[in-house]
Structure formats: structure tokens, C-alpha cells
Amino acid sequence: MQPRVDFISLGVRSVAASRRFYAEGLGWPVHKEFPDDVVFIQVNHGLILSLWNAGQMQAEAGVDAPGQVPCITLSHNVPSPADVDRVMAEAAAAGAKIVAEPVTQPWGGYTGYFADPDGFRWEIAYNPTWAVDDAGKVTV
């Protein structure tokens, strides 16, 4: 098996509310959608964020509904601390709940966290030691 991720699927309570947040609020382009079932948003080269009806996702994957938001963080790295502040403000304007204001971290980075309509946590991060080369390989 190749080390690759092609889809990140989030089980959401309301596909319409999640679509409004990501597509209309954040301005992310919808690749394809099936109303009330799933919305596909291309978020990077070959990577799709799937906003999937939670009941359907749980049935297909054979899991029980979580009692709370699963502990998962989706990270969005940016090139500067000012970009962290800008993206956090954009997310708040789109309706995100800010769960951790941006701060300088002990490891030297600068991060903030927001929650989408279903409570999934997004980390907006500036990491001065993280880089991606022209071939798309991460260098640390």
C-alpha cells in the first residue's frame, strides 16, 4: 500500500450547513455534490475533503455515532504568523467558533484553532521549520 491520503471524510450533522460554511463562508470550491448526502471539495493536489451525512457515513463504515466530536485535527499551514491571524479572522467571519486564539507555541510556531459547524477542529499554523519542496516532499 502506498503512503497516500486521497480523501478526508468528515461525518457531518447537516450537509447543507457544512456546505454553507466551507463553500460559501470560506470560499472553497465545490468539486461535486449530492444534496443532503455529500459534498466534495478539492483541497489540494489529488486530495478531497468530503462532507458526508454522518448517519450514512456511520452506517457504511460500521461505527456507532460518537458521543462527542472525535479527536482529530485538520491542519492548514501558512507562510507567516500574520497569515494565521488572517485565516482565523476569515474562519470566524464564516461562522467558525474560535476555540484557541493564535499564540506562539513553545516549539517556535504560531497556531490558532477553530471549530467548524460540527465541532471538527482546524489548526491554522505557521511552522518555521516546516517546508515543502517543488516536488511536494515535506522537508523538516
Side-chain angles (χ1 to χ4, degrees):
M1 179 175 175
Q2 296 176 342
R4 183 181 76 225
V5 174
D6 299 305
F7 272 76
I8 297 171
S9 297
L10 303 178
V12 300
R13 293 178 300 238
S14 169
V15 173
S18 291
R19 185 195 194 289
R20 279 191 301 278
F21 177 75
Y22 286 98
E24 296 165 27
L26 295 180
W28 292 11
V30 172
H31 174 71
K32 190 171 188 170
E33 65 184 301
F34 300 91
D36 300 322
D37 291 331
V38 66
V39 173
F40 299 112
I41 298 171
Q42 185 153 1
V43 293
N44 208 336
H45 180 81
L47 180 59
I48 295 287
L49 176 65
S50 170
L51 307 171
W52 194 1
N53 174 288
Q56 292 173 357
M57 183 178 182
Q58 290 155 3
E60 184 172 313
V63 298
D64 294 328
Q68 58 185 346
V69 176
C71 187
I72 182 173
T73 299
L74 303 165
S75 297
H76 178 79
N77 288 7
V78 294
S80 74
D83 288 317
V84 171
D85 294 334
R86 178 185 53 76
V87 172
M88 292 290 291
E90 289 173 4
K97 177 182 177 186
I98 304 302
V99 295
E101 292 289 339
V103 296
T104 300
Q105 299 295 338
W107 47 268
Y110 182 72
T111 66
Y113 288 81
F114 68 82
D116 77 358
D118 285 276
F120 289 105
R121 295 324 198 242
W122 279 88
E123 173 194 37
I124 307 304
Y126 162 67
N127 183 338
T129 66
W130 185 272
V132 180
D133 66 20
D134 291 339
K137 184 173 173 101
V138 174
T139 59
V140 181

